[in-house]
Amino acid sequence: MKTYIKNISLLAVMLTFIAGIFTACDNDDDNGATPIIRYVRTTSAAQSDSIITSAYLGNTIALIGDNFSNVREVWFNDQQARVNPVFVTNNAILVTIPNDIPTEVTNKIRLVTRTGIESLFDFAVDVPTPVLNSLKCEYVADGDIAVINGDFFLEPKVFFNGNMAAEIVNFTKTQIQVKVPNGSKAGPITVESIYGSTRSKFSFRDNNVQTPTTVIFVDFEETSWNTWGLSAFASQGGPTGKYMVLEGTTGAWAWPGNPLQFYFNNPIRKPIVSEGDIDNLALRFEANVHEWHDTPLLLWFSKNQDTHDVDGADPQAHWKPYLNSGVKSNFVTDGWITVTIPLTDFKYNKDESDDKRAISSLNELVDLHAMFFGAADGASNVKLWIDNMRIVKYK
């Protein structure tokens, strides 16, 4: 991935590459002449003298040659690129290689003019090794289906920790559904494709032992920390045993009942984590949402014992998965998912009139609170299950 040719925005290209090359080019009509590519180079001003013979999908490159002013089509293998006339002169074309993977590989660039004249140039399009972004749910039982999200999954093979091969149930270019092998171990997942292999940065069944930077501080198997008697708990259908149940009716600024609140009153009175960069850490947990129409879930950390104060000065994160582009709809997950909330998202007060708050020290991460509270269009029901609350290094 580090070897990818750096993509340059079209605006940056106009300000740098075009200024340096296009203005020096001859813009005469090609008069029916055959377009000829002399060479290909990157669009980076710092590497403008770098001639290349291949590039990755999605990279923007510069074709240098003659008789380009009437070129209307540029093809890479059997994939047609979008040609913007603004970036075409008689001697240079700026073009972005399509992201679609070719079906027929010719290792050629093909130019076609408005009068149908064609020419070819040797050039290879490189397909990246698999990109592994996330697991839909990091905690999946043996024999159940895990979902891997990413890209460039081409004829993939999946291996769990210890080189344990897994059965692929279904896959697309961006997602793999795989049956978790019996006896599978916690740890990274490796995906192989016809273009190489990639080991995930995330860990399947991530835990304190597997990943030193992960701290599971409440898994709901033991609940002596629940000194205020908030929330409820269940075990049927959970990812790893017992889990928390938040269920009831919410309303606009309506104080939630105990079943819609959570307070981890840390019995050891020490920060949950003592090392790490706040910008790189996140709160992560598994969630199974059966119904959620409105009203945010407010979460905040504190260090003052026996204080559950939504009006306090602690920075809050407001989780609103029911809100999509400003439109509310009932949010329901298809089973358990893994949710990641960066610590930098903890920045609000309860009504979001202040969004400049921040977690300034790990010493603030002693207790964790949550409640459904805030603006809403009216009363609505919510049913949310949560398990395996942890602090992780997510980037």
Side-chain angles (χ1 to χ4, degrees):
M1 301 292 287
K2 298 295 185 181
T3 61
Y4 286 10
I5 298 170
K6 185 178 180 181
N7 287 333
I8 304 296
S9 70
L10 293 182
L11 177 59
V13 169
M14 282 191 285
L15 295 176
T16 58
F17 183 79
I18 293 178
I21 295 179
F22 279 23
T23 56
C25 292
D26 178 9
N27 287 297
D28 293 338
D29 190 271
D30 65 12
N31 295 317
T34 300
I36 299 172
I37 299 175
R38 303 294 182 184
Y39 57 90
V40 180
R41 72 190 210 187
T42 71
T43 56
S44 169
Q47 299 176 328
S48 60
D49 59 346
S50 299
I51 295 176
I52 58 175
T53 58
S54 66
Y56 282 100
L57 300 173
N59 282 163
T60 299
I61 60 175
L63 313 182
I64 308 299
D66 301 300
N67 307 323
F68 289 165
S69 57
N70 274 345
V71 169
R72 295 296 181 266
E73 297 178 15
V74 178
W75 294 75
F76 294 86
N77 297 307
D78 60 354
Q79 300 297 314
Q80 185 175 3
R82 180 177 178 271
V83 177
N84 187 335
V86 173
F87 303 121
V88 178
T89 74
N90 198 48
N91 300 102
I93 299 175
L94 280 185
V95 64
T96 299
I97 301 171
N99 276 312
D100 293 331
I101 296 169
T103 301
E104 180 183 354
V105 177
T106 62
N107 289 324
K108 303 281 187 183
I109 297 174
R110 181 164 63 95
L111 305 181
V112 183
T113 70
R114 63 182 174 84
T115 57
I117 299 173
E118 298 188 11
S119 67
L120 299 174
F121 182 79
D122 292 336
F123 191 83
V125 175
D126 299 326
V127 179
T129 58
V131 175
L132 279 63
N133 292 332
S134 65
L135 281 166
K136 176 187 175 185
C137 181
E138 290 187 353
Y139 281 80
V140 180
D142 290 1
D144 287 346
I145 304 301
V147 178
I148 305 169
N149 296 309
D151 205 349
F152 306 112
F153 298 146
L154 309 171
E155 300 181 23
K157 298 179 181 178
V158 176
F159 299 88
F160 283 72
N161 194 18
N163 203 34
M164 183 175 291
E167 176 189 346
I168 293 177
V169 177
N170 192 22
F171 74 91
T172 66
K173 177 175 172 286
T174 58
Q175 189 178 90
I176 303 174
Q177 297 178 25
V178 60
K179 186 175 181 180
V180 178
N182 291 327
S184 57
K185 301 176 182 178
I189 292 174
T190 298
V191 175
E192 293 184 358
S193 78
I194 56 176
Y195 296 100
S197 66
T198 303
R199 187 172 183 260
S200 68
K201 293 182 179 180
F202 59 79
S203 285
F204 173 69
R205 296 177 187 165
D206 195 16
N207 59 64
N208 309 33
V209 176
Q210 172 61 40
T211 309
T213 54
T214 292
V215 178
I216 299 178
F217 59 93
V218 57
D219 62 5
F220 304 104
E221 300 303 322
E222 186 276 327
T223 56
S224 61
W225 48 264
N226 189 28
T227 56
W228 284 41
L230 304 178
S231 317
F233 308 95
S235 58
Q236 185 174 0
T240 57
K242 290 179 66 176
Y243 53 86
M244 176 172 64
V245 176
L246 299 173
E247 183 174 1
T249 301
T250 68
W253 302 108
W255 188 259
N258 286 0
L260 289 175
Q261 300 187 57
F262 162 73
Y263 175 23
F264 171 67
N265 192 3
N266 192 341
I268 64 174
R269 307 314 305 163
K270 292 182 179 180
I272 296 168
V273 292
S274 58
E275 297 180 358
D277 185 340
I278 291 171
D279 290 343
N280 297 331
L281 298 178
L283 173 67
R284 180 172 288 173
F285 51 87
E286 274 62 58
N288 191 343
V289 186
H290 300 263
E291 183 178 14
W292 192 353
H293 303 266
D294 206 346
T295 310
L297 180 66
L298 279 52
L299 302 107
W300 70 96
F301 292 94
S302 72
K303 59 181 180 181
N304 297 321
Q305 190 172 14
D306 292 323
T307 302
H308 183 56
D309 185 9
V310 72
D311 293 303
D314 300 300
Q316 301 174 5
H318 294 180
W319 187 28
K320 308 174 185 178
Y322 54 82
L323 197 60
N324 186 6
S325 300
V327 179
K328 296 177 181 179
S329 62
N330 185 26
F331 179 73
V332 178
T333 60
D334 181 16
W336 289 91
I337 63 172
T338 294
V339 177
T340 301
I341 303 177
L343 294 190
T344 52
D345 284 1
F346 287 75
K347 59 182 180 180
Y348 300 108
N349 65 338
K350 70 175 183 181
D351 62 3
E352 299 186 5
S353 60
D354 180 4
D355 63 357
K356 304 301 183 184
R357 298 183 179 188
I359 296 173
S360 59
S361 169
L362 296 180
N363 291 331
E364 300 173 28
L365 309 183
V366 178
D367 301 329
L368 179 64
H369 313 252
M371 66 167 63
F372 289 93
F373 191 63
D377 294 333
S380 61
N381 295 327
V382 65
K383 184 177 180 180
L384 167 64
W385 298 350
I386 289 178
D387 201 0
N388 300 321
M389 304 193 84
R390 54 200 185 271
I391 300 294
V392 303
K393 181 180 179 181
Y394 80 106
K395 67 176 184 178

